[in-house]
């Protein structure tokens, strides 16, 4: 059967990239499908290939019987003796079947199944080959375009370069050579789909690895790449050896290396800068080609920074449509605000003071390290669980109970109560003074006298600016509209602060927080968990207190 079978198998292996074993398995399935179409079974069908692979044979295994009931599975003894004169009843014979005897419908059905199997095998083979190449560079040729998407001939398969992954600078013609980054490999109903990209930051990394040997062998490493495809790319590099200049290695002698990369990116601007562990130096480098005079970190937890540049460098630092500073933000992962030296000189220095006031919240939290009963040292878990059943989790709630109320709590005996009292007295004297002791207030008359009296004997009169400050402080106590009004017999209420939302006042009041002292005595986690108070309202309350609490702090100092 089919004397050129071996050549056909080798041709399939070369063209489709399918292994020889899978091709033989497909041929076997093809013959079995045709056999089943004719005889309605494949239980007794046997397919055998010759040792050299030149021929394939199909056999039917039949049992020798006296009377044939099923011609597909049985053969009469008389007919079996014609094939083998030594056979007996009960033996089995392999009888060769000529595929040419199959009808046209059986052959067509088997051929359709074979084609489908070959497609699935080819898809799985290519998927296994390309799925491990995701993240690598590949070279193909422009084949055709449809709806802005470019189909790239990769040899065995087509790749797809979508419009969104094409640089706006690039244009192609048929048979143009395209170097791209394998972004994704998926199996779809229509076949294997290989998504290519020329806008991915890793595409730039792969190009540098090809053009710069020091990056390929690890002497120079790329810390991070940010990119606005078609316009500008920034990458930070550093060297693992002290005698190697990482930026110079990437640029090359007379810029040969970087020029080759720029040509590949169709003229896209590339900024190569040195990575520095000091964020100030790193930010200075990231804003290149602009020259930065000074970098001031405004808020390290929020990663806000101020970059000061000469007046003639402002437009260069910001870049066209803010591109340069936007890429620098992404590269260093800081929020950079660029100001000129003249703008910085005009900035309100009081902002720094307000930032220091905001730190009061974190100071309070550090002072009140122990707030829950479970955080007290030496208190058994049994006592903590017993108190929790009665919704007593905070020390503040516990110390507000009288001896009689504690004695009535189920699950606590007198020894437990004595242990709680002793532990609180030993560990929370300062907290009790700050949180539970009522604030001592000076009479308004004393305050007025205090401001009227000079600060010391023999001292010179203060300058005009200090006098204005004292007048503002007096107004703060006696009802000036710009500050919180001081009340002789009560603490300052949050509802009296300007700009506090009504919903926030109601939510805090329902939780038992009505004064500024109550608010400052709670930590950030507790405030964030107050029902009905969202994060934006909490930020507003903290900001308003921060802006007005300076007067309160001055009262304490006086």
């Amino acid at each position: 059967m089919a004397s050129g079978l071996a050549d056909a198998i080798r041709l399939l292996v070369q063209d489709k990239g399918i292994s020889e074993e899978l091709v033989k398995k497909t041929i076997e399935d093809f013959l079995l499908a045709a056999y089943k179409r004719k005889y309605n079974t494949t239980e007794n069908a046997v397919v055998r290939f010759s040792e050299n692979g030149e021929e394939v044979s199909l056999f039917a295994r039949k049992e020798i019987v006296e009377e044939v009931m099923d011609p597909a599975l049985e053969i009469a003894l008389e007919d079996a003796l014609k094939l083998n004169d030594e056979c007996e009843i009960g033996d089995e014979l392999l009888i060769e079947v000529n595929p040419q005897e199959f009808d046209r419908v059986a052959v067509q059905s088997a051929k359709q199944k074979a084609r489908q199997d070959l497609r699935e095998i080819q898809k799985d083979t290519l998927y296994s080959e390309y799925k491990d190449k995701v993240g690598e560079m590949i070279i193909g040729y422009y084949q055709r375009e449809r709806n802005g998407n470019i189909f790239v001939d990769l040899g065995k398969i087509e790749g797809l370069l979508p419009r969104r992954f094409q640089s706006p600078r690039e244009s192609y013609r048929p048979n143009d050579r395209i170097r791209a980054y394998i972004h994704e490999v998926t199996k779809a109903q229509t076949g294997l789909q290989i998504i290519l990209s020329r806008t991915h930051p890793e595409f730039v990394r792969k190009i540098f690895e090809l053009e710069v040997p020091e990056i390929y062998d690890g002497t120079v490493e790329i810390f991070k790449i940010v990119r606005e495809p078609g316009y500008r790319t920034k990458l930070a590099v550093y060297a693992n050896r002290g005698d190697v200049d990482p930026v110079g290695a990437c640029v090359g002698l007379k810029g040969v290396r970087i020029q080759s990369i720029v040509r590949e990116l169709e003229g896209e601007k590339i900024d190569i800068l040195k990575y520095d562990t000091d964020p100030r130096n790193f930010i200075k480098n990231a804003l290149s080609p602009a020259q930065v005079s000074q970098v001031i970190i405004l808020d390290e937890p929020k990663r806000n920074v101020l970059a000061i540049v000469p007046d003639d460098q402002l437009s260069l630092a910001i870049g066209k449509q803010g591109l340069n500073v936007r890429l620098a933000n992404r590269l260093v992962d800081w929020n950079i605000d660029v100001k000129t030296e003249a703008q910085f000189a005009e900035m309100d220095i009081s902002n720094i003071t307000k930032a220091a006031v905001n730190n009061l919240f974190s100071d309070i939290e550090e002072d009140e390290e122990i707030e829950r009963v479970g955080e007290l040292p030496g208190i058994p878990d049994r006592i903590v669980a017993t108190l929790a059943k009665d919704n007593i989790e905070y020390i503040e709630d516990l110390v507000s109970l009288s001896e009689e109320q504690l004695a009535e709590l189920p699950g606590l005996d007198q020894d437990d109560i004595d242990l709680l009292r002793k532990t609180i007295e030993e560990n929370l004297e300062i907290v009790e003074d700050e949180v539970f002791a009522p604030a001592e207030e000076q009479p308004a008359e004393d305050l007025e006298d205090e401001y009227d009296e000079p600060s010391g004997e023999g001292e010179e009169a203060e300058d005009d600016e200090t006098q204005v400050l004292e007048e503002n402080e007096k107004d703060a106590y006696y009802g000036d509209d710009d500050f919180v009004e001081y009340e002789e017999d009560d603490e300052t209420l949050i509802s009296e602060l300007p700009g506090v939302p009504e919903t926030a006042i109601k939510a805090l009041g329902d939780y038992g927080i009505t004064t500024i002292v109550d608010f400052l005595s709670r930590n950030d986690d507790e405030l964030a968990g107050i029902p009905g108070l969202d994060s934006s309202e909490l930020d507003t309350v903290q900001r308003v207190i921060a802006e007005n609490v300076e007067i309160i702090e001055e009262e304490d100092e006086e």
Side-chain angles (χ1 to χ4, degrees):
M1 178 185 172
S3 59
L5 180 63
D7 294 336
I9 292 177
R10 281 193 292 270
L11 188 62
L12 275 174
V13 171
Q14 294 175 1
D15 292 347
K16 303 296 185 181
I18 304 174
S19 65
E20 184 176 345
E21 291 76 12
L22 291 176
V23 174
K24 289 183 176 179
K25 181 66 168 59
T26 303
I27 295 174
E28 180 179 347
D29 293 341
F30 165 78
L31 294 173
L32 292 177
Y35 184 90
K36 183 176 182 180
R37 182 75 181 183
K38 182 175 181 179
Y39 298 105
N40 296 323
T41 183
T42 56
E43 293 180 4
N44 62 331
V46 178
V47 179
R48 290 183 178 178
F49 289 88
S50 61
E51 294 182 1
N52 57 8
E54 292 287 346
E55 294 185 0
V56 60
S57 302
L58 176 62
F59 297 91
R61 183 187 293 110
K62 295 186 178 182
E63 183 181 359
I64 301 174
V65 295
E66 290 184 356
E67 184 177 356
V68 177
M69 303 296 293
D70 187 351
L73 302 175
E74 300 172 344
I75 185 174
L77 178 60
E78 180 181 356
D79 295 333
L81 290 173
K82 295 177 182 179
L83 300 174
N84 189 338
D85 54 3
E86 295 181 359
C87 62
E88 299 176 353
I89 295 177
D91 293 343
E92 290 184 346
L93 285 180
L94 287 179
I95 302 173
E96 186 173 359
V97 178
N98 186 0
Q100 296 180 356
E101 297 178 358
F102 295 152
D103 56 23
R104 180 174 175 275
V105 176
V107 174
Q108 289 296 334
S109 175
K111 191 183 296 185
Q112 182 179 358
K113 185 178 185 306
R115 288 197 185 100
Q116 182 179 355
D117 290 345
L118 282 175
R119 282 195 298 268
E120 290 296 327
I121 291 172
Q122 184 181 13
K123 185 193 301 184
D124 293 339
T125 303
L126 290 174
Y127 180 75
S128 300
E129 178 181 351
Y130 281 95
K131 72 175 181 179
D132 297 329
K133 294 184 179 180
V134 173
E136 296 183 4
M137 188 83 69
I138 195 169
I139 297 176
Y141 294 89
Y142 181 100
Q143 194 170 33
R144 67 184 188 278
E145 179 182 354
R146 185 171 63 193
N147 298 329
N149 300 324
I150 297 176
F151 292 86
V152 182
D153 183 9
L154 302 178
K156 298 178 183 179
I157 193 173
E158 279 186 348
L160 179 64
L161 182 60
R163 176 184 292 178
R164 68 181 185 275
F165 291 152
Q166 299 174 25
S167 172
R169 286 178 172 266
E170 300 170 350
S171 60
Y172 302 98
R173 294 185 299 272
N175 298 322
D176 277 355
R177 178 174 171 272
I178 298 177
R179 181 183 290 176
Y181 173 83
I182 300 179
H183 178 67
E184 185 181 2
V185 177
T186 57
K187 282 197 292 186
Q189 294 181 353
T190 56
L192 187 65
Q193 192 174 48
I194 299 177
I195 306 299
L196 306 178
S197 173
R198 284 182 59 86
T199 61
H200 200 285
E202 290 299 313
F203 175 64
V204 179
R205 183 189 297 271
K206 294 299 178 182
I207 295 177
F208 270 90
E209 289 178 357
L210 291 175
E211 299 292 340
V212 183
E214 289 83 356
I215 292 181
Y216 182 78
D217 62 19
T219 303
V220 175
E221 293 190 24
I222 299 176
F223 173 73
K224 190 175 181 180
I225 301 174
V226 293
R227 187 182 181 201
E228 193 74 26
Y231 300 99
R232 186 181 288 272
T233 293
K234 285 182 179 286
L235 69 156
V237 295
Y238 63 93
N240 292 320
R241 286 171 44 187
D243 58 342
V244 176
D245 178 16
V247 177
C250 295
V251 174
L253 183 63
K254 296 183 180 180
V256 174
R257 294 175 177 175
I258 192 63
Q259 289 173 8
S260 176
I261 297 173
V262 170
R263 283 195 300 269
E264 177 64 37
L265 299 179
E266 300 292 341
E268 182 176 318
K269 295 181 181 179
I270 301 177
D271 296 335
I272 304 174
L273 55 102
K274 186 175 180 181
Y275 169 70
D276 199 307
T277 54
D278 186 350
R280 296 176 179 84
N281 295 332
F282 190 22
I283 292 169
K284 283 185 178 181
N285 298 338
L287 287 172
S288 63
Q291 299 295 324
V292 181
S293 303
Q294 186 181 3
V295 174
I296 300 175
I297 296 179
L298 300 178
D299 192 336
E300 188 167 358
K302 295 182 179 180
R303 303 182 74 82
N304 293 329
V305 70
L306 177 65
I308 305 170
V309 299
D311 294 352
D312 59 345
Q313 297 287 309
L314 179 62
S315 60
L316 191 61
I318 295 177
K320 186 176 181 180
Q321 298 179 351
L323 179 60
N324 191 61
V325 69
R326 187 164 64 248
L327 289 176
N329 284 342
R330 290 161 52 190
L331 183 65
V332 301
D333 197 21
W334 283 74
N335 298 319
I336 305 175
D337 186 12
V338 181
K339 299 289 185 182
T340 63
E341 295 174 350
Q343 291 172 339
F344 176 69
E346 296 174 358
M347 289 182 63
D348 188 4
I349 306 301
S350 63
N351 290 335
I352 301 176
T353 306
K354 291 180 180 180
V357 173
N358 287 331
N359 292 333
L360 291 174
F361 294 106
S362 59
D363 294 338
I364 293 174
E365 184 176 356
E366 292 176 1
D367 292 339
E368 298 179 358
E369 293 180 354
I370 301 179
E371 295 181 345
R372 298 177 178 269
V373 177
E375 298 174 357
L376 289 170
I379 300 299
D381 294 339
R382 175 185 59 81
I383 298 179
V384 176
T386 302
L387 293 173
K389 291 179 181 179
D390 292 299
N391 296 323
I392 303 175
E393 298 182 1
Y394 290 92
I395 299 175
E396 180 182 359
D397 299 331
L398 179 62
V399 298
S400 64
L401 300 178
S402 63
E403 290 288 346
E404 293 77 8
Q405 291 174 325
L406 286 174
E408 294 176 357
L409 294 176
L412 291 182
D413 54 23
Q414 189 59 42
D415 293 338
D416 296 336
I417 297 174
D418 294 340
L419 176 62
L420 287 170
R421 289 293 187 191
K422 180 180 179 182
T423 305
I424 292 175
E425 290 174 359
E426 292 176 353
N427 296 277
L428 296 179
E429 293 179 356
I430 298 178
V431 174
E432 289 181 350
D433 290 338
E434 292 181 356
V435 178
F436 301 110
E440 296 182 0
E441 300 174 352
Q442 288 182 285
E445 295 81 359
D446 295 344
L447 290 171
E448 186 175 3
D449 295 341
E450 184 177 346
Y451 280 101
D452 289 337
E453 292 179 359
S455 57
E457 297 182 1
E459 293 186 357
E460 297 294 330
E462 299 292 335
D463 56 16
D464 295 339
E465 182 178 356
T466 306
Q467 293 176 4
V468 172
L469 176 61
E470 291 178 351
E471 292 175 1
N472 289 339
E473 290 175 338
K474 289 184 180 181
D475 292 337
Y477 287 104
Y478 295 106
D480 187 72
D481 293 338
D482 294 334
F483 297 90
V484 179
E485 182 178 357
Y486 176 83
E487 295 184 5
E488 180 178 358
D489 298 326
D490 198 2
E491 297 176 347
T492 303
L493 299 176
I494 295 177
S495 59
E496 298 174 350
L497 294 174
V500 178
E502 293 295 334
T503 55
I505 296 174
K506 184 178 184 306
L508 291 172
D510 294 342
Y511 196 75
I513 300 176
T514 57
T515 67
I516 296 178
V517 174
D518 293 339
F519 186 85
L520 294 179
S521 66
R522 309 300 175 95
N523 60 30
D524 290 344
D525 292 338
E526 183 180 357
L527 293 174
I530 294 178
L533 184 67
D534 57 32
S535 58
S536 61
E537 293 176 337
L538 178 59
D539 293 340
T540 302
V541 176
Q542 291 178 334
R543 176 178 57 77
V544 172
I545 292 179
E547 292 175 352
N548 295 275
V549 77
E550 296 177 6
I551 303 302
I552 298 175
E553 294 297 323
E554 290 172 2
E555 292 173 19
D556 295 338
E557 291 174 2
E558 294 290 343

